[in-house]
Amino acid sequence: PSAAPSSHPSSKPSDKPSAKPSASPSAKPSASPSAKPSAKPSANPSSSPSFKPSTMPSTSPSKKPSALPSSAPSSAPSVTPCFDCSEGRSNPCKPLEIPDTYFYPHCDITRFVQCSAFGQCFQNNCTAGLQWNATAVACVQVFF
């Protein structure tokens, strides 16, 4: 050791640890919070929230859904085109409107259009009481 310990504290703290840690804390905790938050969490979490909720909206979207649905629609409804085998745009078969798709909705929902592999267009009727469903690619019963 280069020097004996002093009996008086210095005005500037040392940047080197002491040889022996003190058995008691070096200072009492402050009653007011510090300006800068600590990097380490406290030993015991508080039972009350640390801040009040804001009444202002945040600038970024939440990852959670809102409690109430919006009254405004989110987008315009999609419109499914219909076909009827007439020459021009209403015939989906020559050439196929969508590659490898041979069934299309008719403009009358109780009917559907079927294309052959040779570009022929056929208008077919659903069984009574059924309607064409393009998603199911079948005539289905619709419940109201």
Side-chain angles (χ1 to χ4, degrees):
S2 60
S6 167
S7 60
H8 301 291
S10 65
S11 61
K12 188 176 178 185
S14 169
D15 59 348
K16 295 180 183 175
S18 61
K20 267 186 164 180
S22 169
S24 61
S26 58
K28 287 186 178 182
S30 169
S32 60
S34 63
K36 188 175 178 185
S38 166
K40 295 181 182 178
S42 61
N44 296 318
S46 169
S47 61
S48 61
S50 58
F51 62 90
K52 290 183 180 179
S54 171
T55 57
M56 298 298 295
S58 65
T59 56
S60 60
S62 169
K63 292 182 181 179
K64 296 180 181 179
S66 61
L68 300 172
S70 169
S71 61
S74 57
S75 63
S78 62
V79 177
T80 302
C82 64
F83 302 94
D84 66 8
C85 292
S86 61
E87 289 303 317
R89 182 74 179 111
S90 291
N91 184 345
C93 302
K94 201 173 191 175
L96 286 175
E97 183 76 16
I98 302 169
D100 299 321
T101 300
Y102 296 92
F103 294 92
Y104 295 90
H106 192 280
C107 296
D108 174 350
I109 60 170
T110 64
R111 303 180 79 189
F112 63 96
V113 172
Q114 180 179 3
C115 299
S116 74
F118 305 105
Q120 295 168 298
C121 187
F122 302 95
Q123 298 181 69
N124 298 304
N125 295 315
C126 291
T127 303
L130 303 182
Q131 294 179 0
W132 179 253
N133 181 308
T135 305
V137 191
C139 293
V140 298
Q141 187 170 6
V142 179
F143 298 98
F144 294 101

